[in-house]
Amino acid sequence: QVRVVESGGGLVQAGESLTLSCGVSGSIFSDNAAGWYRQPPGNERELVAAISPGDRSNYSDSVKGRFTISRDNAKSTVYLQMNSLKPDDTAVYYCTIGRFVGAKYYRNSRWGQGTQVTVSS
């Protein structure tokens, strides 16, 4: 069974950076796409970034140009580099593995515990 463990969240000020990490076990990581979602307080979970096995990536409009998703297949880990953070980025961040159908990402794994990111103004 696939297991994901997110880490790296914390409290930062607006304009600062954070890098989230997600370790994946129980699958052939290199064969899978991966994605980062977030759930702001009182809102639904949304996909913010996804990366294919071949390192093709896409982003939501709200984070494009500020966030970068990357992967290290040797470590079965996916990262989310977050720059120029804003208070609106405050959320619990979750990673998943999945697949692309065309340009759309679909998750295949269950949700992990997530990691909290809080951005103060």
Side-chain angles (χ1 to χ4, degrees):
Q1 185 169 344
V2 175
R3 182 168 179 255
V4 298
V5 179
E6 303 95 339
S7 62
L11 172 63
V12 297
Q13 293 189 333
E16 294 184 339
S17 299
L18 271 179
T19 299
L20 306 182
S21 300
C22 174
V24 179
S25 60
S27 76
I28 303 175
F29 177 72
S30 59
D31 289 349
N32 287 277
W36 282 98
Y37 291 76
R38 69 184 180 186
Q39 186 166 20
N43 287 285
E44 295 184 353
R45 213 167 310 204
E46 60 174 350
L47 178 67
V48 296
I51 187 167
S52 72
D55 285 342
R56 180 188 66 180
S57 58
N58 58 22
Y59 301 90
S60 67
D61 288 343
S62 60
V63 307
K64 197 173 296 183
R66 300 187 298 121
F67 290 12
T68 302
I69 189 171
S70 61
R71 62 191 297 155
D72 185 334
N73 290 336
K75 296 182 178 179
S76 296
T77 300
V78 58
Y79 304 96
L80 187 67
Q81 172 69 40
M82 306 185 295
N83 297 329
S84 303
L85 282 161
K86 306 174 182 179
D88 285 350
D89 296 318
T90 295
V92 179
Y93 284 72
Y94 301 87
C95 78
T96 68
I97 62 168
R99 70 192 190 282
F100 277 94
V101 178
K104 188 172 174 60
Y105 175 79
Y106 294 88
R107 72 176 176 96
N108 287 339
S109 63
R110 295 181 179 180
W111 302 111
Q113 84 288 349
T115 187
Q116 175 72 47
V117 172
T118 304
V119 185
S120 64
S121 57

PDB file of all heavy atoms in Angstrom, residues 91-109:
ATOM      1  N   ALA A  91      -2.222  27.113   4.546  1.00  0.00           N
ATOM      2  CA  ALA A  91      -3.025  25.910   4.286  1.00  0.00           C
ATOM      3  C   ALA A  91      -2.294  24.695   4.839  1.00  0.00           C
ATOM      4  O   ALA A  91      -1.116  24.780   5.199  1.00  0.00           O
ATOM      5  CB  ALA A  91      -3.238  25.717   2.780  1.00  0.00           C
ATOM      6  N   VAL A  92      -3.006  23.582   4.879  1.00  0.00           N
ATOM      7  CA  VAL A  92      -2.348  22.294   5.069  1.00  0.00           C
ATOM      8  C   VAL A  92      -2.020  21.760   3.674  1.00  0.00           C
ATOM      9  O   VAL A  92      -2.878  21.735   2.792  1.00  0.00           O
ATOM     10  CB  VAL A  92      -3.236  21.293   5.829  1.00  0.00           C
ATOM     11  CG1 VAL A  92      -2.522  19.958   5.988  1.00  0.00           C
ATOM     12  CG2 VAL A  92      -3.629  21.867   7.185  1.00  0.00           C
ATOM     13  N   TYR A  93      -0.777  21.360   3.494  1.00  0.00           N
ATOM     14  CA  TYR A  93      -0.306  20.888   2.190  1.00  0.00           C
ATOM     15  C   TYR A  93      -0.177  19.365   2.220  1.00  0.00           C
ATOM     16  O   TYR A  93       0.375  18.792   3.162  1.00  0.00           O
ATOM     17  CB  TYR A  93       1.030  21.532   1.847  1.00  0.00           C
ATOM     18  CG  TYR A  93       0.879  22.976   1.410  1.00  0.00           C
ATOM     19  CD1 TYR A  93       0.566  23.970   2.329  1.00  0.00           C
ATOM     20  CD2 TYR A  93       1.031  23.338   0.068  1.00  0.00           C
ATOM     21  CE1 TYR A  93       0.410  25.292   1.924  1.00  0.00           C
ATOM     22  CE2 TYR A  93       0.879  24.654  -0.348  1.00  0.00           C
ATOM     23  CZ  TYR A  93       0.566  25.628   0.586  1.00  0.00           C
ATOM     24  OH  TYR A  93       0.405  26.930   0.176  1.00  0.00           O
ATOM     25  N   TYR A  94      -0.677  18.744   1.146  1.00  0.00           N
ATOM     26  CA  TYR A  94      -0.679  17.292   1.032  1.00  0.00           C
ATOM     27  C   TYR A  94      -0.030  16.875  -0.282  1.00  0.00           C
ATOM     28  O   TYR A  94      -0.186  17.554  -1.300  1.00  0.00           O
ATOM     29  CB  TYR A  94      -2.114  16.758   1.003  1.00  0.00           C
ATOM     30  CG  TYR A  94      -2.958  17.100   2.200  1.00  0.00           C
ATOM     31  CD1 TYR A  94      -3.674  18.278   2.257  1.00  0.00           C
ATOM     32  CD2 TYR A  94      -3.061  16.212   3.277  1.00  0.00           C
ATOM     33  CE1 TYR A  94      -4.459  18.593   3.351  1.00  0.00           C
ATOM     34  CE2 TYR A  94      -3.857  16.510   4.371  1.00  0.00           C
ATOM     35  CZ  TYR A  94      -4.548  17.707   4.401  1.00  0.00           C
ATOM     36  OH  TYR A  94      -5.330  18.008   5.485  1.00  0.00           O
ATOM     37  N   CYS A  95       0.662  15.744  -0.263  1.00  0.00           N
ATOM     38  CA  CYS A  95       1.173  15.217  -1.526  1.00  0.00           C
ATOM     39  C   CYS A  95       0.504  13.887  -1.832  1.00  0.00           C
ATOM     40  O   CYS A  95      -0.014  13.198  -0.937  1.00  0.00           O
ATOM     41  CB  CYS A  95       2.686  15.076  -1.510  1.00  0.00           C
ATOM     42  SG  CYS A  95       3.299  13.651  -0.615  1.00  0.00           S
ATOM     43  N   THR A  96       0.512  13.553  -3.093  1.00  0.00           N
ATOM     44  CA  THR A  96      -0.047  12.281  -3.551  1.00  0.00           C
ATOM     45  C   THR A  96       0.794  11.776  -4.713  1.00  0.00           C
ATOM     46  O   THR A  96       1.576  12.524  -5.304  1.00  0.00           O
ATOM     47  CB  THR A  96      -1.494  12.446  -4.063  1.00  0.00           C
ATOM     48  OG1 THR A  96      -1.484  13.227  -5.267  1.00  0.00           O
ATOM     49  CG2 THR A  96      -2.383  13.119  -3.031  1.00  0.00           C
ATOM     50  N   ILE A  97       0.629  10.508  -5.058  1.00  0.00           N
ATOM     51  CA  ILE A  97       1.104  10.035  -6.348  1.00  0.00           C
ATOM     52  C   ILE A  97      -0.125   9.778  -7.210  1.00  0.00           C
ATOM     53  O   ILE A  97      -1.248   9.649  -6.701  1.00  0.00           O
ATOM     54  CB  ILE A  97       1.992   8.789  -6.261  1.00  0.00           C
ATOM     55  CG1 ILE A  97       1.242   7.610  -5.668  1.00  0.00           C
ATOM     56  CG2 ILE A  97       3.254   9.089  -5.467  1.00  0.00           C
ATOM     57  CD1 ILE A  97       1.981   6.300  -5.842  1.00  0.00           C
ATOM     58  N   GLY A  98       0.073   9.758  -8.500  1.00  0.00           N
ATOM     59  CA  GLY A  98      -1.055   9.616  -9.396  1.00  0.00           C
ATOM     60  C   GLY A  98      -0.607   9.441 -10.822  1.00  0.00           C
ATOM     61  O   GLY A  98       0.460   8.867 -11.088  1.00  0.00           O
ATOM     62  N   ARG A  99      -1.418   9.982 -11.741  1.00  0.00           N
ATOM     63  CA  ARG A  99      -1.126   9.845 -13.154  1.00  0.00           C
ATOM     64  C   ARG A  99      -1.685  11.057 -13.883  1.00  0.00           C
ATOM     65  O   ARG A  99      -2.589  11.734 -13.393  1.00  0.00           O
ATOM     66  CB  ARG A  99      -1.766   8.566 -13.704  1.00  0.00           C
ATOM     67  CG  ARG A  99      -3.280   8.620 -13.788  1.00  0.00           C
ATOM     68  CD  ARG A  99      -3.889   7.267 -14.044  1.00  0.00           C
ATOM     69  NE  ARG A  99      -5.327   7.356 -14.360  1.00  0.00           N
ATOM     70  CZ  ARG A  99      -6.282   7.541 -13.471  1.00  0.00           C
ATOM     71  NH1 ARG A  99      -5.980   7.693 -12.189  1.00  0.00           N
ATOM     72  NH2 ARG A  99      -7.539   7.597 -13.857  1.00  0.00           N
ATOM     73  N   PHE A 100      -1.129  11.314 -15.035  1.00  0.00           N
ATOM     74  CA  PHE A 100      -1.687  12.321 -15.929  1.00  0.00           C
ATOM     75  C   PHE A 100      -2.547  11.635 -16.990  1.00  0.00           C
ATOM     76  O   PHE A 100      -2.175  10.591 -17.533  1.00  0.00           O
ATOM     77  CB  PHE A 100      -0.572  13.099 -16.637  1.00  0.00           C
ATOM     78  CG  PHE A 100      -0.006  14.229 -15.820  1.00  0.00           C
ATOM     79  CD1 PHE A 100       1.114  14.039 -15.031  1.00  0.00           C
ATOM     80  CD2 PHE A 100      -0.602  15.484 -15.844  1.00  0.00           C
ATOM     81  CE1 PHE A 100       1.641  15.075 -14.281  1.00  0.00           C
ATOM     82  CE2 PHE A 100      -0.081  16.529 -15.105  1.00  0.00           C
ATOM     83  CZ  PHE A 100       1.051  16.328 -14.324  1.00  0.00           C
ATOM     84  N   VAL A 101      -3.687  12.228 -17.266  1.00  0.00           N
ATOM     85  CA  VAL A 101      -4.476  11.867 -18.438  1.00  0.00           C
ATOM     86  C   VAL A 101      -4.543  13.144 -19.275  1.00  0.00           C
ATOM     87  O   VAL A 101      -5.233  14.094 -18.921  1.00  0.00           O
ATOM     88  CB  VAL A 101      -5.884  11.375 -18.065  1.00  0.00           C
ATOM     89  CG1 VAL A 101      -6.681  11.058 -19.319  1.00  0.00           C
ATOM     90  CG2 VAL A 101      -5.793  10.147 -17.164  1.00  0.00           C
ATOM     91  N   GLY A 102      -3.768  13.142 -20.354  1.00  0.00           N
ATOM     92  CA  GLY A 102      -3.583  14.404 -21.073  1.00  0.00           C
ATOM     93  C   GLY A 102      -2.836  15.363 -20.171  1.00  0.00           C
ATOM     94  O   GLY A 102      -1.803  15.008 -19.599  1.00  0.00           O
ATOM     95  N   ALA A 103      -3.379  16.544 -19.975  1.00  0.00           N
ATOM     96  CA  ALA A 103      -2.732  17.534 -19.124  1.00  0.00           C
ATOM     97  C   ALA A 103      -3.298  17.535 -17.706  1.00  0.00           C
ATOM     98  O   ALA A 103      -2.856  18.320 -16.869  1.00  0.00           O
ATOM     99  CB  ALA A 103      -2.894  18.917 -19.736  1.00  0.00           C
ATOM    100  N   LYS A 104      -4.244  16.654 -17.427  1.00  0.00           N
ATOM    101  CA  LYS A 104      -4.911  16.672 -16.131  1.00  0.00           C
ATOM    102  C   LYS A 104      -4.334  15.601 -15.209  1.00  0.00           C
ATOM    103  O   LYS A 104      -4.159  14.453 -15.603  1.00  0.00           O
ATOM    104  CB  LYS A 104      -6.411  16.447 -16.303  1.00  0.00           C
ATOM    105  CG  LYS A 104      -7.206  16.648 -15.021  1.00  0.00           C
ATOM    106  CD  LYS A 104      -8.694  16.614 -15.296  1.00  0.00           C
ATOM    107  CE  LYS A 104      -9.519  16.658 -14.014  1.00  0.00           C
ATOM    108  NZ  LYS A 104      -9.258  17.876 -13.229  1.00  0.00           N
ATOM    109  N   TYR A 105      -4.064  15.991 -13.961  1.00  0.00           N
ATOM    110  CA  TYR A 105      -3.501  15.090 -12.958  1.00  0.00           C
ATOM    111  C   TYR A 105      -4.617  14.460 -12.134  1.00  0.00           C
ATOM    112  O   TYR A 105      -5.543  15.162 -11.697  1.00  0.00           O
ATOM    113  CB  TYR A 105      -2.564  15.862 -12.037  1.00  0.00           C
ATOM    114  CG  TYR A 105      -2.033  15.042 -10.886  1.00  0.00           C
ATOM    115  CD1 TYR A 105      -0.982  14.149 -11.073  1.00  0.00           C
ATOM    116  CD2 TYR A 105      -2.595  15.143  -9.616  1.00  0.00           C
ATOM    117  CE1 TYR A 105      -0.503  13.393 -10.019  1.00  0.00           C
ATOM    118  CE2 TYR A 105      -2.117  14.389  -8.568  1.00  0.00           C
ATOM    119  CZ  TYR A 105      -1.074  13.518  -8.764  1.00  0.00           C
ATOM    120  OH  TYR A 105      -0.592  12.763  -7.732  1.00  0.00           O
ATOM    121  N   TYR A 106      -4.509  13.149 -11.913  1.00  0.00           N
ATOM    122  CA  TYR A 106      -5.441  12.412 -11.066  1.00  0.00           C
ATOM    123  C   TYR A 106      -4.630  11.690  -9.999  1.00  0.00           C
ATOM    124  O   TYR A 106      -3.647  11.015 -10.312  1.00  0.00           O
ATOM    125  CB  TYR A 106      -6.227  11.383 -11.876  1.00  0.00           C
ATOM    126  CG  TYR A 106      -7.150  11.989 -12.888  1.00  0.00           C
ATOM    127  CD1 TYR A 106      -6.705  12.285 -14.169  1.00  0.00           C
ATOM    128  CD2 TYR A 106      -8.476  12.281 -12.565  1.00  0.00           C
ATOM    129  CE1 TYR A 106      -7.549  12.845 -15.109  1.00  0.00           C
ATOM    130  CE2 TYR A 106      -9.325  12.849 -13.500  1.00  0.00           C
ATOM    131  CZ  TYR A 106      -8.854  13.129 -14.769  1.00  0.00           C
ATOM    132  OH  TYR A 106      -9.694  13.701 -15.690  1.00  0.00           O
ATOM    133  N   ARG A 107      -5.064  11.838  -8.756  1.00  0.00           N
ATOM    134  CA  ARG A 107      -4.326  11.168  -7.683  1.00  0.00           C
ATOM    135  C   ARG A 107      -4.759   9.711  -7.578  1.00  0.00           C
ATOM    136  O   ARG A 107      -5.916   9.366  -7.806  1.00  0.00           O
ATOM    137  CB  ARG A 107      -4.529  11.885  -6.345  1.00  0.00           C
ATOM    138  CG  ARG A 107      -5.897  11.718  -5.733  1.00  0.00           C
ATOM    139  CD  ARG A 107      -5.974  12.375  -4.355  1.00  0.00           C
ATOM    140  NE  ARG A 107      -7.322  12.273  -3.826  1.00  0.00           N
ATOM    141  CZ  ARG A 107      -7.702  11.325  -2.994  1.00  0.00           C
ATOM    142  NH1 ARG A 107      -6.846  10.416  -2.593  1.00  0.00           N
ATOM    143  NH2 ARG A 107      -8.941  11.289  -2.549  1.00  0.00           N
ATOM    144  N   ASN A 108      -3.809   8.857  -7.199  1.00  0.00           N
ATOM    145  CA  ASN A 108      -4.081   7.439  -6.996  1.00  0.00           C
ATOM    146  C   ASN A 108      -3.891   7.011  -5.558  1.00  0.00           C
ATOM    147  O   ASN A 108      -4.263   5.894  -5.191  1.00  0.00           O
ATOM    148  CB  ASN A 108      -3.139   6.584  -7.875  1.00  0.00           C
ATOM    149  CG  ASN A 108      -3.521   6.633  -9.325  1.00  0.00           C
ATOM    150  OD1 ASN A 108      -4.646   6.952  -9.682  1.00  0.00           O
ATOM    151  ND2 ASN A 108      -2.570   6.322 -10.193  1.00  0.00           N
ATOM    152  N   SER A 109      -3.251   7.851  -4.738  1.00  0.00           N
ATOM    153  CA  SER A 109      -2.943   7.450  -3.371  1.00  0.00           C
ATOM    154  C   SER A 109      -3.878   8.131  -2.378  1.00  0.00           C
ATOM    155  O   SER A 109      -4.501   9.155  -2.695  1.00  0.00           O
ATOM    156  CB  SER A 109      -1.489   7.790  -3.030  1.00  0.00           C
ATOM    157  OG  SER A 109      -1.276   9.184  -3.092  1.00  0.00           O
TER     158      SER A 109
END
